Structures are given as structure tokens and as C-alpha cells.
Amino acid sequence: MTFLKPKLVAPIFLSLFICLIPSVSYALSYQELITAQTGKVLADSTAANYPVGTFDDVNNSLCQISGWAKDPNTTAPIQIQIFKDGPFWSGTFVTSITANLLRTDLPYADQNHGFVYAFDANSGMNDGNAHQIYLYGISATGGQNADLNFSPKTITCPLPPAAPTSVNVKDYGAKGDGITDDAPAIQKAIVALSTSGGTVTVPAGTYMLGTSAGGVEYYPNGQPIQNAIIINKPNVIFKGAGKTTILELMAHTKMRVIDVTASNVTVDNLVIDGNKSQRNGSVGWPNGDVVDGLLVGDQVANHITFQNCEVRNGIESGMGFWKSDDATVQNCFSHDNGIPQAGGSGLDFSGGARAIARGNTFTNNTSGLWSAFGSQNVTIQNNTIKNNSQEGIVIGGFTVMNGAGNNSGFTISGNTLSGNGAAGFDTVSIASSNNGTISNNTIVNNANDSIAITDDGVNPPSTNWIIDGNTCSNTDSTGTQQWGIRILGKSTGIILKNNTCQNNGQSVADQIDIAPTASVNSDWQTANTLTFAANNSQITAPTLPSLDLRQSSTAKTNFSGFTATPADFLKGFWKYAFSWNRVKSSRQGYIYVSQLNPSDGLYYIKAKFLNLSSIGNATSDYVFLPNTVYRLSFYSTYTTPNPVILRTTFTTANSP
């Protein structure tokens, strides 16, 4: 660093002092110093026009120096410049300090010219080595600068004490009282931890977080995002005391709770609360208070584990990773996260390789779990995923513009999924993703498809999936799960085997549905168990009237009767079978079903479905809406141009 006063150059500097006195054990006063230099006692202190003073002492153990300095032309304190390992023209500039401490041994009316300075960690002095320290008094009036008497001195500062490998956040000021903003104190504890890692203990308590103590990180698109806490040291265990350790965002905050940006970090045994009711979730990201997730692993970090955690009440996702390799989430409970405007799920795997979600519960989120944006070799195993308003599990399904392609290598096994998709979504949704196995999952009583494999319309179709040994069924009387397994779009290389699909949708055809453009194993119909038996045990069918075809004497000679009986129940409506007996083969007739339009009072034909010219007995069916007025009409054409018309009107009962 260049010395700040250009008037002080080596030849002038060396001529400032006539002689140097031997080292003494006390600080020289101004007059004593001048007397030693000139051999004459001065009557006043203004005879010299340059700063004077002494470099009194060094304290090795404290890494500290002391002394005094004064400019005779002013009573104001002056600056001291410190150089190490050489004078100003060859040494290293350390810092400037002000000599403004009281020194009662100075024979001046103004005695505030002392200094004591301890070198900090940034000085490079705490290395256990000897360093020469040079001190210079800086003229207050722009005159000549001068080195202090007895400068330089040697100081040897000890190595700093090793940073702790275990810290407790309460030792750094965290209160955990549910009121205090504890983010700065928690971050201070992390800063104090050894750079090589260790354990951060968070005792029982509710730690409110209202400050972005973890600083700013950035989304891939450059959008800034605040973090209440950042774990930016490797090999850290951030550990709570279970359900009694709660980290909660304060009202109206727009930030993550924890962002992990270092590898080999574990977040364990605590509760994270997004405080949904007091944050603005009325609009989606980037507006309002929405961020990407409450507990997040960053792309610069690998081998991150979240375990034994409860993550709840976020207006965003509960947990998420952005292109972190070897991420693991196990034995966590993620619930009530996300909003319709911004999405959000219990857990996001956004890219990265070898992620694992095992033994978790995801409930009442927007989506349960999704993995996209180039995820590779992901394991989703033995999780309970229920009552999420959209999908239970989503693989792929985002456009290539967001880097969503090339999702490959998935193991989805042993999971239980129920009650998902009420907002109109599939339970396990695979879109434009490849090389996966879906096996031994129980997928029951969801809203739409149990499993759907398709393409997203932008990326290539899904390929090479094995769907094996799953149970995809309705098991209660609501019958909400409309399909078992659907293979749609141009999906290819799909193997369906050993799956049990029962009572989905309207018929056995809804247990497995294969699009004409998709490619599956040719024996899929026999390689799986597909059954449909509607549960009518607690449902009473509405009564339809019989239509006596013998009301007309002409018709009586040709038809022996007509009946309508309940035949089946599907999608909330009864289906009826109509039977009749033709007497004369030469006669023809039709049954029409007409539905009353209440707005105009007219009946509109909905079906013409019985050709009574058939030989022998016959049965057909029609699905009637509940609580609706219908008319059955019989037309016999054997008396053309004056056909026989018989009608009866009835109202169906409410659907159960």
C-alpha cells in the first residue's frame, strides 16, 4: 500500500532525527524527547513542526501495541499509520488508528494522545511468527510525517484459538421466546463454528425469524432471494430437540427459513413453520411473500440430508433442492404447504442426481412430491402421500425452456397414496420422463388416474417404464378414482404386469386405458388383474314406471309388455335395463328417452335405443341423471302413417 503522505520520502524522513536515544522503560514526554535530540531544554512545545511520540510497548499474548503521538501544531488527536515487516516504502500497510486516549504522564494541557491497538484476524498477525511493526505519526496540518520513537518493535502474536466444533445458539443471543427475532443470533452461532464444520444445537423454543441474517442468494434467472439462515460451512449438523424446537417466519416476511450452500450438511429433528396465515400468499411468485421453499438445498452443495423434520404452513414448497446431488429426505412430515396461485409441494427435487425421499409423510400440500428439471436416478420409497389437492407424485412435466428435459432413472416403490387430486389432477403423473420403475405401491381412493404416463407436448414422449405389482383401486362407495392406469400420448416401451386394478371409473375398461398411439406389452390384459364390481349395497335405485304396451288394442296383439329395472350404478347415476317381448316379427317399434328442459317446458330426445323389430327378447340401457324429469315414448310403425304413440312421464330420485 502507498504511504498516504507524499512529502515523507526516505531521505527527508531520515534527516528528521539528529540521533536516537537508547531504549528506556518509560515513555518520553515531548520536552524530554526534544532535549535528548538537541541537548537543550525547550521552553515550549511548538519548536518542532512534525509529529513526535513513542512506540511504548508490545503485548504478544494480546497481539497488542501501545504508545502516544502528538502534532505540536494542534491539540487535536492525530492519525497513526501501521506497517508490518518493513518501513512504509517496503513493508505492508496494516491500518490507521487515532491516538486519542488519555495519557496523564504527558506534560500538556491536552493529554488525549495515547493509543492502544489490538490486531484483528484480518491483519495477518495471528500466525505465531515474529513481525516488525513500524509506526508513523501523520501531520495534522499537511506537514512532514515522522516515525515514532523506538519504532520498529517486534511482536509475536499467538495462533488464534481453534474455532469451536459445537455451538449452542442460545450462547450467541438466541431467545427462543416466540417474540424475539432470533435470525441474527442463530447466524452468529453458525459463523462462530469451525470452518471445518461441527454441530449447531438449537434447544427447545420458538425462534422467530424476521431478518435476512443469511443474506441474499439468487435464482438461476438472477432473481434475488432472502434467507433468514444460511448454512455455508461443510460438515455441519444443525440439530433441534424435536417438535419443541420451532423455527417460524415472522409476519409479512419474504424469505426462506434455511438455505444450505455447503456440502455434507444435515438438518435434523426440528419444526419449520412458514406462518402461512400472516404472510401474503394471495398472489404467486415473484409477487407477495412467496419464495421457492422454506428449507432449501442449493446447487453448489451436495450430500445434504433433511431428516426427522416437520415442515408446515408454507405459502411455498416445504422442502426443495435445486440441482443438488445426493440429497436425502427421510422421516419428515411436510404438510399444508403451497397455495393455488403459486403451486408448492411437500418436497421438490429440481434436477440433481441420486436424490432419495424415504419414509416421509406428505399431506394437504398443493402437490405431494415432484421431481423435474433434469433429475437423474431418483428414489421415492415407502412414503405416505395423501390429501394433496393436486398430484401425489409428479415426474417431469415442465417445458424445455425451463431446463426440464432429460428426466431419467426413477424408482417409485412401496408408497401409499390416497385422497389426492381433488383439484382435477392425476395421482402419479409421469410426463416426458424415461427409464423408471413404479412397483408395489398402494394407490387407492384418489380423484382421477392412479398412474398416468404421457408426454408434455414439448419434450419427447415417456419411454421405458415398468409398472409392476401396484394396487390401483377404489375401496369405498364414493368411487372417485376414475381410472386405474392410463398410458397416453406416444409413450413407448411400457411394461404393465402384476397390477391389481379394481372398481375404478365406470367399468372394467377403466382399470387400464391404453391410447392408440402408445406402446405397451401385448399381454397387458392377462398380465394384470382387472375387475369392476360397483358397490351398490347401501344405495337405493330410483323407481321408474313400467310402460304397458297393451294400452292400445292394436299394440296388445303385437307386444306382451315392457319393464325397466336397475341394472348398474356408475359415476353417481343409475343405469336401467329395458326389456320387452315382441309378439309379431313383422312389427317394428322404438323407445325414445326425452328430457324435460325446465326453461321452455319442452321435452328433448336424448336417445333412440330400442329397435323392437329384433327377434326375441332384448335388453338395452340408458344412464339417467338424478332429480330430472323424463318421458318414455313408444312408437310403433306398423300402422304408418298413423303410428301408435304411448307415453309416460316420471322424475328420477336424487343420486346418493
Side-chain angles (χ1 to χ4, degrees):
M1 178 175 180
T2 303
F3 192 61
L4 300 182
K5 293 292 185 179
K7 289 183 179 180
L8 182 58
V9 295
I12 297 175
F13 171 79
L14 293 174
S15 68
L16 289 176
F17 294 99
I18 299 173
C19 64
L20 294 178
I21 64 174
S23 176
V24 292
S25 60
Y26 59 90
L28 295 178
S29 70
Y30 177 73
Q31 287 186 332
E32 288 173 322
L33 178 61
I34 297 302
T35 299
Q37 291 176 334
T38 66
K40 297 179 181 180
V41 177
L42 302 182
D44 61 63
S45 61
T46 61
N49 290 315
Y50 49 82
V52 295
T54 64
F55 184 175
D56 288 342
D57 192 25
V58 298
N59 186 318
N60 291 319
S61 62
L62 297 179
C63 199
Q64 180 176 285
I65 60 174
S66 60
W68 67 274
K70 173 179 171 59
D71 188 329
N73 298 302
T74 179
T75 61
I78 66 171
Q79 292 291 301
I80 305 296
Q81 290 196 357
I82 304 173
F83 287 77
K84 69 176 181 178
D85 302 326
F88 72 90
W89 62 85
S90 62
T92 300
F93 175 76
V94 178
T95 190
S96 291
I97 61 174
T98 302
N100 60 359
L101 302 180
L102 178 64
R103 285 285 297 261
T104 59
D105 60 328
L106 299 180
Y108 316 120
D110 54 300
Q111 296 181 318
N112 294 319
H113 301 294
F115 64 86
V116 176
Y117 176 73
F119 293 100
D120 61 22
N122 295 325
S123 68
M125 301 295 293
N126 296 96
D127 57 6
N129 298 320
H131 295 276
Q132 289 283 306
I133 300 300
Y134 293 76
L135 302 183
Y136 299 95
I138 306 303
S139 172
T141 60
Q144 297 296 324
N145 305 313
D147 64 344
L148 301 190
N149 192 46
F150 308 127
S151 172
K153 289 183 180 292
T154 300
I155 188 170
T156 303
C157 300
L159 292 169
T165 58
S166 179
V167 296
N168 187 311
V169 298
K170 289 202 169 181
D171 293 336
Y172 294 85
K175 302 297 183 183
D177 57 8
I179 300 172
T180 304
D181 179 4
D182 285 323
I186 295 173
Q187 192 63 49
K188 186 177 179 181
I190 296 171
V191 170
L193 194 67
S194 169
T195 57
S196 61
T199 300
V200 180
T201 298
V202 189
T206 298
Y207 299 83
M208 302 305 293
L209 308 172
T211 301
S212 180
V216 179
E217 294 292 315
Y218 293 89
Y219 290 108
N221 65 0
Q223 182 81 20
I225 183 168
Q226 305 288 334
N227 302 282
I229 300 166
I230 190 166
I231 303 176
N232 53 7
K233 296 179 179 179
N235 309 311
V236 170
I237 299 173
F238 190 88
K239 188 176 181 65
K243 290 184 177 297
T244 57
T245 296
I246 302 170
L247 305 181
E248 181 175 344
L249 289 177
M250 299 179 82
H252 313 300
T253 52
K254 183 183 179 69
M255 65 182 70
R256 299 163 173 161
V257 173
I258 298 176
D259 182 24
V260 180
T261 62
S263 296
N264 301 305
V265 170
T266 297
V267 178
D268 183 22
N269 211 32
L270 47 76
V271 177
I272 290 178
D273 195 317
N275 197 6
K276 178 183 290 187
S277 65
Q278 297 188 60
R279 295 171 62 220
N280 181 9
S282 62
V283 291
W285 183 88
N287 301 307
D289 294 331
V290 178
V291 294
D292 53 349
L294 299 176
L295 178 56
V296 176
D298 204 282
Q299 62 180 334
V300 298
N302 301 315
H303 297 281
I304 300 171
T305 299
F306 300 154
Q307 63 184 22
N308 307 314
C309 295
E310 180 182 354
V311 186
R312 67 194 186 196
N313 301 328
I315 54 178
E316 50 279 294
S317 291
M319 297 173 284
F321 297 86
W322 177 251
K323 297 189 180 299
S324 295
D325 291 341
D326 301 292
T328 299
V329 178
Q330 57 191 13
N331 197 33
C332 288
F333 179 27
S334 185
H335 63 95
D336 298 287
N337 296 296
I339 53 174
Q341 297 89 338
S345 64
L347 171 63
D348 303 340
F349 287 136
S350 300
R354 299 174 299 279
I356 298 173
R358 181 182 290 123
N360 305 287
T361 298
F362 304 106
T363 66
N364 298 317
N365 304 290
T366 303
S367 297
L369 181 156
W370 60 258
S371 182
F373 298 99
S375 294
Q376 302 286 312
N377 302 317
V378 175
T379 298
I380 302 170
Q381 188 175 56
N382 299 335
N383 302 284
T384 298
I385 304 171
K386 64 180 182 180
N387 299 333
N388 299 287
S389 62
Q390 297 182 9
E391 302 92 339
I393 297 174
V394 186
I395 306 298
F398 295 87
T399 68
V400 291
M401 294 177 64
N402 292 325
N406 196 30
N407 301 291
S408 179
F410 294 87
T411 300
I412 304 172
S413 66
N415 303 286
T416 298
L417 299 99
S418 63
N420 300 289
F425 292 80
D426 303 325
T427 304
V428 178
S429 176
I430 314 296
S432 296
S433 301
N434 308 314
N435 306 316
T437 299
I438 305 173
S439 64
N440 302 312
N441 300 283
T442 300
I443 310 172
V444 297
N445 304 327
N446 298 282
N448 292 288
D449 301 355
S450 291
I451 300 171
I453 296 183
T454 186
D455 53 70
D456 59 21
V458 177
N459 293 291
S462 298
T463 61
N464 300 328
W465 283 82
I466 298 174
I467 305 176
D468 182 9
N470 302 283
T471 297
C472 306
S473 302
N474 275 319
T475 62
D476 60 25
S477 61
T478 60
T480 55
Q481 193 159 283
Q482 297 305 309
W483 289 275
I485 301 172
R486 302 183 81 194
I487 311 301
L488 305 173
K490 297 181 180 180
S491 303
T492 61
I494 312 300
I495 304 298
L496 302 169
K497 61 180 181 178
N498 304 318
N499 300 289
T500 298
C501 300
Q502 297 178 325
N503 302 331
N504 299 289
Q506 303 179 21
S507 67
V508 70
D510 295 327
Q511 309 315 302
I512 293 182
D513 180 26
I514 311 297
T517 52
S519 173
V520 303
N521 52 307
S522 60
D523 64 343
W524 66 269
Q525 290 175 302
T526 57
N528 301 277
T529 300
L530 313 176
T531 60
F532 181 82
N535 182 2
N536 299 334
S537 60
Q538 297 180 344
I539 302 173
T540 301
T543 300
L544 269 64
S546 61
L547 179 60
D548 189 354
L549 301 182
R550 293 171 296 176
Q551 294 179 43
S552 164
S553 59
T554 305
K556 181 164 54 175
T557 63
N558 293 280
F559 298 94
S560 62
F562 176 92
T563 59
T565 57
D568 202 357
F569 182 80
L570 68 151
K571 290 190 108 172
F573 309 127
W574 279 98
K575 182 168 64 175
Y576 286 81
F578 299 93
S579 302
W580 69 97
N581 185 43
R582 181 188 58 76
V583 177
K584 293 185 178 182
S585 60
S586 62
R587 306 306 181 199
Q588 293 183 344
Y590 300 92
I591 297 291
Y592 288 86
V593 176
S594 302
Q595 180 180 333
L596 176 66
N597 183 354
S599 64
D600 59 16
L602 301 178
Y603 287 90
Y604 292 86
I605 294 175
K606 295 297 181 181
K608 171 187 175 183
F609 59 94
L610 296 179
N611 184 345
L612 300 189
S613 64
S614 302
I615 298 175
N617 297 320
T619 301
S620 187
D621 53 33
Y622 180 73
V623 178
F624 287 89
L625 299 175
N627 198 29
T628 303
V629 177
Y630 286 96
R631 185 169 67 187
L632 288 178
S633 301
F634 167 69
Y635 291 78
S636 177
T637 60
Y638 65 89
T639 57
T640 303
N642 298 304
V644 173
I645 301 176
L646 303 176
R647 294 191 179 97
T648 185
T649 301
F650 62 94
T651 302
T652 56
N654 287 326
S655 176

